[in-house]
Amino acid sequence: ALAAAPDGVRVAIPVAPGPRIELRILGARRFEEPALRAQLGLPEDAPLDAPAIDAAADRLRAFYRARGHALARVDVEERTARGARWILFHVDEGPYLGLREVRFPGATARAEGWLREELRRILDEDAPPAVEGGEAGTARAIAAAFPGARTREVPPPALAPSRVLDEGALDRAIARLVDDERADGWLEAASAGWTAELDARAGVADLTIRLADGARTLVEAIAWEGNVRVPLADLARQSRLAPGQPLVADQVEGTRTAILRLYLARGFLFARVEAREEVDPARHRATVHFLVAEGPQVRIGRIVVTGNVRTRDDVVRRAIEVHEGEVYDPEAVSRTQAALLGLGVFRSVGLRLQEPERPEAVKDLVVELAERPWLTVAPGAGFSIADGPRAFLEVGEPNLLGRALELDGTAKVNYPLTLFRPDLVGVPPDGRWEGRADVGLRAPHLDPLPAASRLDVVAERLRRPAYQMSDVSTILSADVPITARISLSLQYELGVYDLLKSGEEAFLTQIDIERLRFDAGITTLQAFRPVLTLDFRDSPTNPRLGWFATGFAELDHSLGTGGTRILGVIPGSDIHTDMVKVQGTVSGYVPLDPTLVLAVSVRGGRVIPLDPASRTIIPRRFFLGGADSMRGYEEEEMIPADVRPLYAAEGNHCASSLSGVGCTSRGQATAAGVMPVSEGGEAFFLAKGELRQSLGGSLELGLFVDLGNLWLNPDAFDVLALRPNAGAGLRFVTPVGPAALDLGFNLDPDRRVNERAYGVHFTIGLF
């Protein structure tokens, strides 16, 4: 209505709210009304019309069916009383009925047990997750906030579809069973319906499903049509079918796909292959026709490279495995993409034909590149109580000189303070600093070989309470892929290590222990190490089938003598070393069933001196103990078998001596209950076995046995004197390998040297 007003026109819009709508659920006995109301799924802002109400009733019926009430009924009634509109859902729950037995009388195509298991799998395959919410969840949350309040009953989750009688789900599952039989050659397979015998008192239902299988159709002949450029013999080798075999749809499709892949591999990018079946129903025989439309064989015209702003064009084209004028090879294109990404220069690489939808005999190939940032610099600073103020710098250049040479470097400097490091009192300020610098240069190709190479230079200076150490090492390595599964790695290392031991008692980390293994004085050592690897596993991170073998022979030779300089620069070694260190590993994986894998591994090694005066420095010895060897010990903890009695005797002497005469520091520690530190051995043998059982999802259980031993004198090697460890662990499968948490037990600990009884290990990756 409009009405005049002093300042204009007033508009009045009459509003009538209409009747208030109320929802009620009547007749429910097993479930409370708030829980059932949440199943209606009626949003507050949605129109409450007849289709919405019918859909709500269907959802309520589905809720009951999923919990075993196959005969549940839901009727809807609308009433108007006292200014309100009532929508009443009348529920007749009916009896609870669980599936007890499923029979397939008359089925001949499949065994009844197989049909029963397949029906269960199909029914449970698409089971929706149970979600709780709505008024029921809100009411329970509010009630739980008040101490002593009784929370509402939580409705039970939906049962597995294979445990309840759901007519719709059952009809769909039977239809899939019939489709699967037809796809396996029983073309006349059909469902003759099903019946259910109900026992309301026991709350169970027995199903009888009748399938009519008919005779299985066999392949009588296979024909190829339309092939001109590819010989018939080559097409026949792609067939997954053979005359006399059943007509299986997967094999027909597999043959069609294999023929298409063959054409694509030969450059027929526009080829089309169609499979047609000509069936004789009376004889139950079929002829399968594969109709080929070859199209043109595509050759590469120009190769157009774009996006290489800083990368030299010859570097890019050297990695391209296809050439102008050649037949287009999808595998070579795929290898080219991997090779370009392997340069480490490009963020993304794409190879595409121009106008790929137009059938032509000659196509230009476009190589689209997106380069990584040309330089990254990351400086920083910090403070540590142990190390004092510190500064660090990281620099990365992935494309040096535009030749895909990757240069990276890190440097850090610490300046310990005498306030926290009393051992540095009296040391001149310029002698207190510690630091480390690491510079690496990587080349993706080492012409003329298709090998990746890397040069690393590491310099370090440490000032610890127990020792002072300065070292410089240079490592040159090259990786040569021989085949897809066989590779050769070559490595040369030259290192100079200058160690001064103070003899002071101090807390030592594992890294400190490894550095203290060097002899006091200067060690100048060069090493050449070829490594051969054969990898025939189905997966490098979590293998379940196949085998793996690797071995190396390392030649170690010291340079110069103490007090001399090589080329006037490199100090000569105080320790003479001239030896060969050999080691080999073989691992195998056998699937015992789809969820159980047996993994076994054998490893051994020996040091062979080339000079009677040669000394094997401790860092070049073998060590056992830890996550990747003997899991009943901590890392590198096992003492060689031939020196363990000596260590035990030293401990007994110190424990029984009142004067301490002739008692070594190692004997004193052993007598005090401390396990002696292992100095490694020059021969070892290790055998490992493990059962890996899937627990569902990404979780696995591992049960393992480790047998191994270590000898300082290789001549004392005795394969019958292996030490046993056993244990169990959990593995969580990740993309980079299983994360393993293992508890290993030393089944025969030597108490004379205080060996531990167990070890706990966490690691990424398994043998």
Side-chain angles (χ1 to χ4, degrees):
L2 300 178
D7 55 350
V9 177
R10 180 176 300 164
V11 180
I13 301 175
V15 176
R20 185 178 70 255
I21 298 177
E22 298 284 350
L23 301 178
R24 290 295 306 274
I25 299 176
L26 306 176
R29 301 187 306 275
R30 187 179 177 195
F31 305 108
E32 296 182 352
E33 185 174 355
L36 296 177
R37 192 186 295 268
Q39 308 304 319
L40 296 177
L42 294 172
E44 294 182 0
D45 55 348
L48 200 59
D49 52 13
I53 295 172
D54 291 341
D58 288 340
R59 285 190 286 270
L60 196 55
R61 276 190 290 268
F63 173 81
Y64 270 99
R65 285 197 301 267
R67 285 154 181 80
H69 294 269
L71 304 180
R73 292 177 51 194
V74 178
D75 298 318
V76 180
E77 178 189 3
E78 296 188 26
R79 293 181 185 176
T80 302
R82 297 189 299 275
R85 178 188 174 198
W86 294 81
I87 300 177
L88 308 177
F89 294 88
H90 296 277
V91 175
D92 181 2
E93 294 180 340
Y96 172 85
L97 294 172
L99 282 184
R100 179 174 61 183
E101 185 178 0
V102 181
R103 296 183 294 268
F104 292 86
T108 57
R110 304 286 191 185
E112 187 170 6
W114 186 93
L115 289 170
R116 189 179 298 114
E117 180 62 24
E118 185 68 5
L119 180 71
R120 182 202 62 77
R121 185 191 66 80
I122 294 174
L123 285 170
D124 292 343
E125 193 173 62
D126 300 322
V131 179
E132 179 190 348
E135 287 186 43
T138 304
R140 275 189 292 277
I142 295 174
F146 295 91
R150 185 180 71 86
T151 59
R152 296 182 180 274
E153 177 188 357
V154 179
L159 301 174
S162 60
R163 293 178 53 193
V164 299
L165 182 60
D166 185 332
E167 296 183 14
L170 186 59
D171 288 338
R172 291 190 295 271
I174 294 174
R176 281 188 57 182
L177 277 178
V178 172
D179 289 342
D180 290 346
E181 289 195 357
R182 291 174 180 170
D184 273 349
W186 283 277
L187 303 185
E188 299 173 351
S191 170
W194 58 271
T195 58
E197 298 178 11
L198 308 181
D199 186 347
R201 179 174 298 178
V204 295
D206 296 331
L207 282 182
T208 300
I209 302 174
R210 294 176 176 82
L211 299 179
D213 301 321
R216 198 173 194 184
T217 300
L218 304 180
V219 175
E220 185 173 42
I222 305 171
W224 289 268
E225 302 174 17
N227 57 301
V228 177
R229 307 284 297 277
V230 177
L232 180 61
D234 292 351
L235 297 180
R237 278 193 289 268
Q238 307 303 317
S239 178
R240 275 55 170 168
L241 299 164
Q245 292 183 349
L247 179 64
V248 178
D250 287 346
Q251 294 176 356
V252 174
E253 176 60 21
T255 302
R256 190 196 69 82
T257 304
I259 294 173
L260 183 58
R261 283 200 301 266
L262 175 64
Y263 270 96
L264 294 178
R266 298 190 180 185
F268 294 89
L269 303 186
F270 303 98
R272 300 291 181 266
V273 181
E274 180 184 354
R276 294 181 183 176
E277 301 161 10
E278 183 181 335
V279 180
D280 183 349
R283 297 171 52 242
H284 298 98
R285 294 293 185 269
T287 299
V288 183
H289 298 265
F290 293 99
L291 310 178
V292 179
E294 291 181 335
Q297 188 178 36
V298 178
R299 292 184 177 273
I300 297 175
R302 296 180 304 149
I303 298 179
V304 181
V305 179
T306 64
N308 55 322
V309 179
R310 290 179 297 274
T311 310
R312 294 171 61 96
D313 194 68
D314 61 313
V315 173
V316 175
R317 293 186 179 275
R318 186 174 54 194
I320 297 176
E321 296 191 25
V322 295
H323 303 90
E324 295 177 355
E326 291 184 346
V327 173
Y328 183 87
D329 183 352
E331 292 188 2
V333 171
S334 179
R335 292 194 302 269
T336 296
Q337 184 177 29
L340 288 171
L341 287 172
L343 294 177
V345 174
F346 305 112
R347 183 173 62 250
S348 65
V349 175
L351 287 86
R352 63 175 179 84
L353 294 174
Q354 285 190 340
E355 298 182 344
E357 70 283 350
R358 178 183 298 178
E360 292 176 325
V362 178
K363 288 284 189 182
D364 292 342
L365 179 66
V366 180
V367 181
E368 298 175 332
L369 307 170
E371 293 180 328
R372 292 170 53 193
W374 71 277
L375 180 66
T376 58
V377 179
F383 180 83
S384 166
I385 293 179
D387 300 326
R390 61 174 51 176
F392 56 87
L393 176 67
E394 294 184 5
V395 179
E397 164 57 274
N399 194 6
L400 187 65
L401 304 176
R403 295 187 175 275
L405 299 175
E406 183 177 0
L407 177 67
D408 57 75
T410 60
K412 68 175 182 178
V413 178
N414 302 328
Y415 191 82
L417 303 177
T418 56
L419 176 64
F420 305 107
R421 291 281 301 276
D423 58 293
L424 295 177
V425 174
V427 177
D430 60 351
R432 298 178 189 172
W433 67 272
E434 299 178 324
R436 176 185 173 93
D438 187 341
V439 179
L441 180 65
R442 172 186 173 272
H445 290 282
L446 186 63
D447 291 333
L449 299 175
S453 59
R454 183 175 178 88
L455 174 66
D456 287 282
V457 179
V458 180
E460 189 174 32
R461 170 178 163 139
L462 297 170
R463 295 294 180 266
R464 301 300 188 199
Y467 66 94
Q468 299 179 25
M469 187 173 188
S470 299
D471 63 86
V472 178
S473 61
T474 302
I475 303 172
L476 176 62
S477 60
D479 297 321
V480 183
I482 299 175
T483 69
R485 294 186 177 272
I486 303 176
S487 62
L488 176 65
S489 175
L490 304 174
Q491 188 177 90
Y492 174 79
E493 178 180 357
L494 174 61
V496 180
Y497 309 90
D498 187 0
L499 177 66
L500 175 63
K501 300 181 181 180
S502 67
E504 294 186 18
E505 295 291 334
F507 172 76
L508 300 178
T509 66
Q510 181 65 29
I511 296 177
D512 292 332
I513 293 174
E514 292 175 2
R515 291 180 177 129
L516 283 170
R517 288 172 179 167
F518 284 93
D519 290 81
I522 296 176
T523 302
T524 303
L525 192 67
Q526 65 175 344
F528 176 69
R529 183 185 306 109
V531 182
L532 181 64
T533 301
L534 295 85
D535 191 348
F536 289 83
R537 300 171 294 180
D538 61 342
S539 167
T541 56
N542 190 29
R544 300 179 56 83
L545 177 67
W547 60 277
F548 171 88
T550 184
F552 71 83
E554 177 181 295
L555 173 63
D556 292 290
H557 182 72
S558 58
L559 298 178
T561 57
T564 65
R565 292 208 169 248
I566 303 167
L567 302 177
V569 178
I570 304 175
S573 179
D574 295 331
I575 295 93
H576 174 63
T577 298
D578 190 12
M579 68 176 207
V580 173
K581 178 181 178 181
V582 295
Q583 180 176 323
T585 301
V586 177
S587 301
Y589 310 88
V590 180
L592 302 181
D593 68 34
T595 62
L596 183 65
V597 175
L598 172 64
V600 293
S601 178
V602 177
R603 190 189 314 170
R606 178 169 180 158
V607 171
I608 304 172
L610 301 179
D611 185 338
S614 173
R615 285 180 53 196
T616 305
I617 62 174
I618 295 178
R620 288 298 192 264
R621 293 177 181 172
F622 300 108
F623 290 85
L624 286 184
D628 69 338
S629 57
M630 299 288 289
R631 283 166 278 189
Y633 296 84
E634 289 300 321
E635 293 298 321
E636 301 183 345
E637 190 178 59
M638 176 181 276
I639 300 172
D642 50 335
V643 300
R644 199 168 66 250
L646 174 63
Y647 291 2
E650 291 179 355
N652 287 336
H653 174 74
C654 292
S656 59
S657 175
L658 298 178
S659 63
V661 175
C663 187
T664 65
S665 59
R666 182 170 56 208
Q668 292 175 340
T670 305
V674 178
M675 185 176 178
V677 176
S678 174
E679 296 184 350
E682 297 191 19
F684 83 98
F685 184 83
L686 174 66
K688 304 170 65 177
E690 184 167 297
L691 280 173
R692 300 171 184 168
Q693 173 66 57
S694 173
L695 300 179
S698 300
L699 191 63
E700 292 182 345
L701 170 68
L703 303 175
F704 60 83
V705 175
D706 303 329
L707 298 172
N709 216 333
L710 187 66
W711 296 268
L712 182 60
N713 180 4
D715 295 333
F717 177 87
D718 183 3
V719 74
L720 300 179
L722 302 181
R723 309 287 303 282
N725 286 180
L730 294 175
R731 290 90 172 85
F732 184 78
V733 180
T734 72
V736 296
L741 177 63
D742 287 333
L743 175 61
F745 294 93
N746 186 350
L747 302 183
D748 185 23
D750 191 341
R751 300 301 185 186
R752 300 175 303 168
V753 292
N754 309 307
E755 282 190 342
R756 68 179 64 247
Y758 65 91
V760 180
H761 306 281
F762 177 78
T763 185
I764 300 292
L766 301 170
F767 70 89

